[in-house]
Amino acid sequence: MTSGVLARRRVAPWIAGAVAIVLLVVIVVAARAKPAEQRTADSPLLGHRAPAVAGAVISGPAQTLDYLRGKYVVVNFFATWCVPCRQEHPELVRFAAHHASLDDAAVMQVVYGDRASTVRSFLHKNGGDWTVVDDPKGSIALDWGVRGLPESYLVDPKGFVIYKITGGADDSGLEALLRQAKAGETR
Amino acid sequence: MTRTRVAWLALAAAVLVAVGVALSGGTDHHATAAQRADAIAHNVRCPTCSGQSVAESASPAAQAIRTEVRRRIDAGQSRQQIEAYLETRYGSDILLTPPRSGIGGLVWIVPVIAVVVAGGALVLALQRWSRRSLAHPSDEDRALVARAEQR
Amino acid sequence: MTAIVGHSAALLGLLASTIGGVSLVVGLARGRTNLVRAAWSYVWFVVAAAVIGMGAMEFALVRHDFSLQYVAEHGSRHTPLLYTIAGAWSALEGSILLWVLVLSIYLAALTLRHRAQREDPVFGWALVVMLAVAAFFFFLLLGAADPFHTIKGVIPTDGPGPNPLLQNHPLMAIHPPFLYGGFVGFTVPFAFALASLITGRVDEGWVLAMRRWTLVAFGLLTVGIVLGAWWSYEVLGWGGFWAWDPVENTSFLPWLTATAYLHSVLVQERRGMLRVWNLSLVTATFALTILGTFLTRSGVLESVHSFSESGIGPLLLGFFGVIVVVVCGLLAWRGDALRSPGMIDSPVSREAAFLMNNLLFAAFAFVVLLGTVFPLIAEAINNSRLTIGRPYFDRMTGPIGLALLFLMAVAPALPWRKASKGVMRDRLLVPAWIGGITLLALVVFGVRSLAALVAFSLGAFAGAAALRQLVLAARAARRSGQPWWRGVVGRANGGMIVHLGVVVVAVGFAASMSFVQRDEVRLKPGESAKVGRHHVTYLGVDHVKYATRSAERASVRVDGGRVYRPALSKYPFATQAIGTPSVRSGVIDDVYLTLVTTPSDPKGTAVIGIIVTPLVNWLWTGGLIMGLGTAMALVPGRRRVPTAPASQPGPVPEPEPVAV
């Protein structure tokens, strides 16, 4: 193209500029995105009444979740074949023992896709005297929206779900959440 | 009519007949409960798998959801009600397709708009080209020639 | 020791590509050809760096050098040798090392093949671009994705090995190299596109030079994608092969734009048109490979391929941003020089068909990209969480796929410039009748699904059209005294074979999606079940211990014939049992068996999953045909003088001295 003969419409910079802007917006959106794993800790149950935990009790006292109203409850979904679940188990034992004496919090477990006999022998060997409910059809897990193991939910004394923890829970983390919840209560 | 013309017309007729037979074969609009449950199951994500629907997954969570969907279908609930229930348990990302309303609707409507716009641009461009044949020089061409002749 | 070698190699690669690139830029800008010529030798240092780096990694893996964190996390003494070697690219850092190695192979090939054109500025600038890309990836290897990071403290004596799903099947070992051969291969045409824009030589020279390179990359990418789908089918246990998973989509997007580009350049070669389209398509192909690498390695999207999160995300995104700015800037600068005086004379012409092709592929890519990143966009706008899954993609891309099948049938029969009705009628009559007869036969057989009917009859139409071209080409070769097989090699004829492969894939895809039958049956030993036209008999279960795992295997006899053994394997470090399906493959359908639940005692009830998928093997066969067709397109065709683009300006006559 010989220059200076005729001024042709300079369309290219406009179109190129528009495309660049659209793509840069996409880049900004992608840059601010949270990693996928973080999203699983949100739950639609947060702030809502906890669903029932109704099923055959295979270990511990025959109590329902309602019976524990008035205390904080850690509802934990687990299975013995799940390695992180086995790793968090001693943490739950410690937490439960500490708060049994204080009588302000308790642990409740739901079996997810595991055999009752296997669970009983695991608890017999590793401790844990709380209520353990069997969920052979997975309906409790469905009600709570469980997406993987292990998952734990913290229920406040009024029966509302206030936290969801994915992956293994540990004693100090649970204590911190409990302190936070209690502080929020008194506000 | 030439032989090829006849052949094309015969083909068109045959195709129309075949399609007519296929469509009129009586599509059963009243699908069975199992089929309706299956249709919903194909639209629900298996929560413990990566990207499969509960219809395709054998995991315990998928089986539990399938059973629940079937139970609710038998109890007379509609597809919207069942999907809404699952959303209250797992969150809105449990469904494999976003709802048509709200922000999810964008992902349905934007491609359609893009296709319409592109199609329109194509039609306009083709019209412009067919109008501008070589026998009709544009003003720019005339100016070019005029300048060359001046030199 | 290995870590030192590896780190030094990465450093050498970074230095060589940076110094080489800078000296090339200086030499090209100042016109110092001796500097330019010398800079080409830096390529060999880059190649050496990549080879030494990968060699060090393989050495460490095979010798179980657990002092390297990568080997400690992904290696194991019990993994078979093939998977240990493939472990080099089974995780993030190693895959960047593979990228660098493939890139250096392409650099070496480019240097050797175009030795004579070393002083041509277009080739010089293309090398600058490729060295810049190499420098970026070496930079990643030194920092964010360091495969040679050593463990501080206690060195373990054994490792967990690769993810159990990655050591199930040999396809896993070869799928990444093919895929990367494709992805990285598109760096070459991209580099040349940028070089043509930088130098202002926006005519057809770079396009002609890049023909073979783009075909090779396309062929490798096609085979890589098909291998990935095949592996997914054989291993993952859900009986499907394509779930529109984000990682699958990001490998598919460059394929779409590359296919559009391969077709669209024919118009540019013939008539000098669609230049902006071609430049945009080839730069988009490369940019999409980088965006895809970001999406799959940054962890922002959940996927079956999820790599661990690392600091690599922002760097890749930044690189993508740089590419966007550079390409848009160059196109803004040179864009108006690209407009050709040629135009499309008629809507019924091959040029118009290729333009339509571009639009359809662009729409396809747009829909897939939108669906893949939309969850991120929705979250950014109002924090809502959405999933865009299979039903959306199937519904949106189905019509586009069918339109492409139709175009594939009609376009090769269209003449350039303008088609008369008579010509079209004669050329397409037989293929159209074959499509029609297929439709009638299917309706008679009882097929009532409209989507399947359209897909099959269009497939027959397109297949017949492609066969017609091949037959005509073979006949023409014979008539001009050459052997008949000259009619099936060369770009146009190889392309027809690829089209045949596409038809086979499309038919397989339509059949396996529309007519799959699934069931889960509870069987005691000796009991049978029927799914579709197949009988399966459950015989019993046994327990097997391997070096790396323990498995429960069910024995199932299919149709009174062979016994198949679907299994559930327990690996020591995994949280759940991994299912191993067992597949009886056939031409007409596959019987896909999974062991869903093991019985609690050997005489108890097992739950067996059975999936009967028709024509699923046509997918892999079609993929193979596409690969073969691409290889045959690379063979030089009949000797023909390439047509000079019709828009090329003729020589300007010397002005006559005016007699005064």
Side-chain angles (χ1 to χ4, degrees):
Chain A
M1 295 297 296
T2 52
S3 60
V5 175
L6 283 166
R8 280 195 106 154
R9 294 190 332 269
R10 296 267 297 163
V11 171
W14 294 103
I15 302 180
V19 169
I21 289 177
V22 166
L23 289 172
L24 288 173
V25 164
V26 169
I27 291 174
V28 167
V29 165
R32 294 184 45 208
K34 294 186 293 212
E37 287 163 0
Q38 263 186 39
R39 295 198 201 105
T40 56
D42 303 325
S43 163
L45 289 180
L46 294 181
H48 290 85
R49 204 167 276 286
V53 181
V57 175
I58 60 171
S59 175
Q63 296 164 343
T64 62
L65 187 56
D66 290 339
Y67 186 85
L68 293 168
R69 190 73 63 90
K71 290 191 223 184
Y72 286 92
V73 185
V74 175
V75 179
N76 173 264
F77 289 83
F78 88 117
T80 56
W81 44 255
C82 152
V83 171
C85 306
R86 290 208 300 267
Q87 286 169 343
E88 77 172 348
H89 192 82
E91 307 281 327
L92 290 173
V93 171
R94 212 175 318 155
F95 180 84
H98 181 206
H99 288 276
S101 50
L102 294 173
D103 204 27
D104 61 348
V107 172
M108 211 172 155
Q109 275 191 325
V110 179
V111 177
Y112 179 97
D114 203 353
R115 290 202 195 108
S117 48
T118 325
V119 171
R120 265 192 225 112
S121 48
F122 175 82
L123 291 168
H124 189 73
K125 238 183 4 170
N126 296 294
D129 54 359
W130 46 72
T131 308
V132 178
V133 177
D134 197 9
D135 186 21
K137 292 213 176 69
S139 42
I140 305 178
L142 202 168
D143 244 1
W144 286 75
V146 171
R147 285 180 188 249
L149 292 183
E151 273 186 14
S152 310
Y153 297 81
L154 186 61
V155 180
D156 75 0
K158 295 203 191 70
F160 287 86
V161 178
I162 49 176
Y163 288 115
K164 172 175 172 175
I165 306 148
T166 51
D170 65 327
D171 186 38
S172 45
L174 286 172
E175 295 288 355
L177 282 177
L178 200 55
R179 274 199 302 273
Q180 221 175 332
K182 285 186 179 161
E185 233 185 83
T186 55
R187 245 186 263 132
Chain B
M1 274 210 257
T2 63
R3 267 202 357 236
T4 42
R5 263 230 168 123
V6 170
W8 275 104
L9 283 175
L11 175 65
V15 165
L16 279 173
V17 165
V19 172
V21 167
L23 286 180
S24 74
T27 46
D28 196 353
H29 291 289
H30 306 290
T32 64
Q35 284 171 329
R36 282 175 37 220
D38 197 50
I40 298 179
H42 270 102
N43 198 32
V44 175
R45 218 178 94 161
C46 160
T48 54
C49 332
S50 318
Q52 297 169 28
S53 70
V54 295
E56 294 150 353
S57 166
S59 76
Q63 286 172 354
I65 294 180
R66 282 205 306 264
T67 315
E68 181 67 15
V69 167
R70 184 59 200 270
R71 193 184 68 81
R72 283 171 181 255
I73 292 261
D74 290 337
Q77 289 198 355
S78 74
R79 179 170 176 150
Q80 277 91 312
Q81 286 172 308
I82 299 176
E83 289 184 347
Y85 165 70
L86 288 172
E87 280 183 307
T88 63
R89 301 295 112 186
Y90 288 100
S92 51
D93 58 341
I94 195 67
L95 296 176
L96 282 172
T97 49
R100 310 257 171 163
S101 58
I103 191 139
L106 267 183
V107 81
W108 295 103
I109 201 79
V110 166
V112 173
I113 295 179
V115 164
V116 164
V117 165
L122 181 66
V123 165
L124 282 175
L126 284 175
Q127 277 183 345
R128 199 157 42 106
W129 281 323
S130 63
R131 257 183 292 139
R132 203 193 343 143
S133 84
L134 291 167
H136 302 293
S138 68
D139 291 343
E140 290 171 348
D141 298 323
R142 287 186 211 278
L144 256 176
V145 171
R147 280 211 199 177
E149 283 178 347
Q150 275 170 27
R151 285 208 203 100
Chain C
M1 176 61 196
T2 322
I4 298 176
V5 171
H7 281 138
S8 317
L11 190 60
L12 170 66
L14 178 62
L15 287 174
S17 43
T18 314
I19 297 176
V22 168
S23 46
L24 261 177
V25 170
V26 169
L28 287 164
R30 301 255 177 96
R32 299 192 2 210
T33 46
N34 53 336
L35 196 59
V36 169
R37 230 176 336 173
W40 277 83
S41 35
Y42 281 93
V43 167
W44 300 111
F45 288 105
V46 174
V47 172
V51 170
I52 293 173
M54 184 53 100
M57 173 53 74
E58 291 290 6
F59 185 76
L61 278 168
V62 171
R63 300 279 298 252
H64 304 302
D65 181 358
F66 292 108
S67 66
L68 287 185
Q69 187 170 20
Y70 186 83
V71 182
E73 283 175 1
H74 305 289
S76 160
R77 292 189 197 279
H78 304 293
T79 314
L81 182 63
L82 175 67
Y83 298 112
T84 303
I85 295 176
W89 48 81
S90 69
L92 173 65
E93 296 85 358
S95 65
I96 303 289
L97 198 49
L98 180 66
W99 191 297
V100 153
L101 179 66
V102 177
L103 184 58
S104 67
I105 293 176
Y106 276 103
L107 271 170
L110 184 70
T111 311
L112 287 171
R113 175 106 174 69
H114 293 287
R115 240 175 326 214
Q117 284 119 333
R118 244 180 289 188
E119 295 175 22
D120 186 339
V122 170
F123 285 83
W125 281 106
L127 187 63
V128 169
V129 173
M130 287 190 74
L131 285 175
V133 174
F136 172 72
F137 279 97
F138 276 113
F139 172 69
L140 287 181
L141 280 177
L142 280 173
D146 182 4
F148 300 105
H149 189 108
T150 45
I151 292 189
K152 316 257 181 300
V154 178
I155 295 176
T157 49
D158 200 353
N163 185 317
L165 285 175
L166 297 179
Q167 35 176 329
N168 246 343
H169 204 283
L171 277 176
M172 192 50 222
I174 55 173
H175 153 64
F178 270 98
L179 205 64
Y180 278 47
F183 283 158
V184 180
F186 287 113
T187 315
V188 183
F190 169 75
F192 274 83
L194 287 193
S196 81
L197 284 171
I198 294 173
T199 55
R201 286 187 16 207
V202 294
D203 57 1
E204 282 54 72
W206 72 274
V207 162
L208 289 168
M210 284 298 101
R211 257 165 55 177
R212 291 239 157 75
W213 294 95
T214 320
L215 267 178
V216 166
F218 170 79
L220 291 172
L221 184 59
T222 308
V223 172
I225 294 176
V226 171
L227 285 177
W230 194 358
W231 170 79
S232 168
Y233 175 75
E234 294 273 330
V235 166
L236 290 182
W238 62 288
F241 47 84
W242 190 265
W244 298 105
D245 177 88
V247 172
E248 292 170 347
N249 294 350
T250 55
S251 74
F252 193 47
L253 284 167
W255 187 89
L256 289 169
T257 51
T259 307
Y261 168 74
L262 275 175
H263 290 84
S264 182
V265 284
L266 298 173
V267 178
Q268 185 172 352
E269 287 178 20
R270 190 57 102 101
R271 298 202 50 204
M273 295 171 54
L274 299 185
R275 286 179 186 149
V276 177
W277 267 105
N278 293 334
L279 282 164
S280 311
L281 284 169
V282 77
T283 51
T285 306
F286 178 72
L288 284 169
T289 62
I290 300 295
L291 182 66
T293 311
F294 161 74
L295 284 174
T296 58
R297 280 158 180 66
S298 60
V300 294
L301 291 171
E302 248 182 271
S303 153
V304 73
H305 270 78
S306 290
F307 291 81
S308 59
E309 207 190 311
S310 75
I312 205 175
L315 288 170
L316 282 168
L317 200 55
F319 190 49
F320 179 71
V322 166
I323 294 173
V324 165
V325 167
V326 166
V327 169
C328 290
L330 283 172
L331 280 173
W333 176 34
R334 297 282 197 199
D336 291 305
L338 292 165
R339 272 195 260 151
S340 81
M343 62 184 180
I344 295 185
D345 300 300
S346 150
V348 191
S349 64
R350 199 178 291 194
E351 295 95 321
F354 279 130
L355 180 60
M356 191 69 216
N357 194 48
N358 280 355
L359 285 169
L360 283 172
F361 272 109
F364 205 140
F366 177 71
V367 164
V368 173
L369 185 60
L370 181 69
T372 309
V373 301
F374 196 76
L376 299 175
I377 298 176
E379 191 171 28
I381 294 183
N382 67 355
N383 222 14
S384 52
R385 285 160 57 189
L386 297 172
T387 313
I388 315 269
R390 265 184 80 190
Y392 170 81
F393 288 105
D394 285 344
R395 207 173 308 170
M396 288 301 218
T397 61
I400 303 180
L402 290 175
L404 281 170
L405 264 184
F406 176 73
L407 207 57
M408 201 168 74
V410 166
L414 282 170
W416 293 94
R417 288 216 167 236
K418 197 171 178 138
S420 69
K421 288 216 201 91
V423 159
M424 294 307 300
R425 268 204 296 266
D426 291 329
R427 286 183 181 179
L428 289 176
L429 182 62
V430 170
W433 259 103
I434 293 180
I437 290 173
T438 311
L439 175 67
L440 289 168
L442 288 171
V443 171
V444 162
F445 257 116
V447 175
R448 290 288 178 268
S449 147
L450 190 61
L453 284 173
V454 173
F456 291 140
S457 31
L458 280 180
F461 183 22
L467 270 173
R468 176 184 165 272
Q469 295 283 96
L470 285 169
V471 165
L472 288 176
R475 261 196 241 161
R478 277 267 293 280
R479 253 184 277 135
S480 66
Q482 293 172 2
W484 69 269
W485 54 262
R486 278 260 167 220
V488 297
V489 298
R491 192 164 62 160
N493 303 318
M496 289 302 111
I497 298 179
V498 175
H499 280 190
L500 278 176
V502 173
V503 167
V504 173
V505 168
V507 166
F509 194 83
S512 53
M513 288 228 327
S514 314
F515 303 117
V516 64
Q517 289 168 296
R518 308 172 167 265
D519 205 355
E520 256 174 45
V521 290
R522 318 182 71 86
L523 295 172
K524 287 208 184 53
E527 288 183 353
S528 295
K530 186 170 193 296
V531 178
R533 47 184 209 116
H534 295 283
H535 288 267
V536 302
T537 311
Y538 168 59
L539 298 175
V541 73
D542 61 4
H543 194 93
V544 184
K545 238 183 165 44
Y546 299 95
T548 46
R549 58 194 163 107
S550 70
E552 303 264 334
R553 275 189 334 181
S555 298
V556 180
R557 195 189 294 278
V558 176
D559 291 336
R562 258 186 67 185
V563 175
Y564 292 85
R565 301 210 153 83
L568 272 176
S569 308
K570 261 200 164 53
Y571 289 81
F573 290 95
T575 56
Q576 304 194 38
I578 310 275
T580 311
S582 184
V583 186
R584 175 187 166 285
S585 295
V587 175
I588 305 204
D589 58 19
D590 268 20
V591 179
Y592 193 96
L593 301 162
T594 52
L595 179 58
V596 177
T597 314
T598 48
S600 30
D601 68 87
K603 293 212 181 12
T605 314
V607 181
I608 309 278
I610 308 163
I611 307 171
V612 177
T613 322
L615 297 188
V616 70
N617 287 299
W618 288 40
L619 286 157
W620 330 130
T621 318
L624 185 66
I625 296 176
M626 286 173 78
L628 272 172
T630 313
M632 289 166 90
L634 285 165
V635 173
R638 294 181 290 149
R639 302 265 165 261
R640 215 171 45 167
V641 176
T643 312
S647 63
Q648 204 175 57
V652 179
E654 288 261 321
E656 304 267 316
V658 178
V660 177

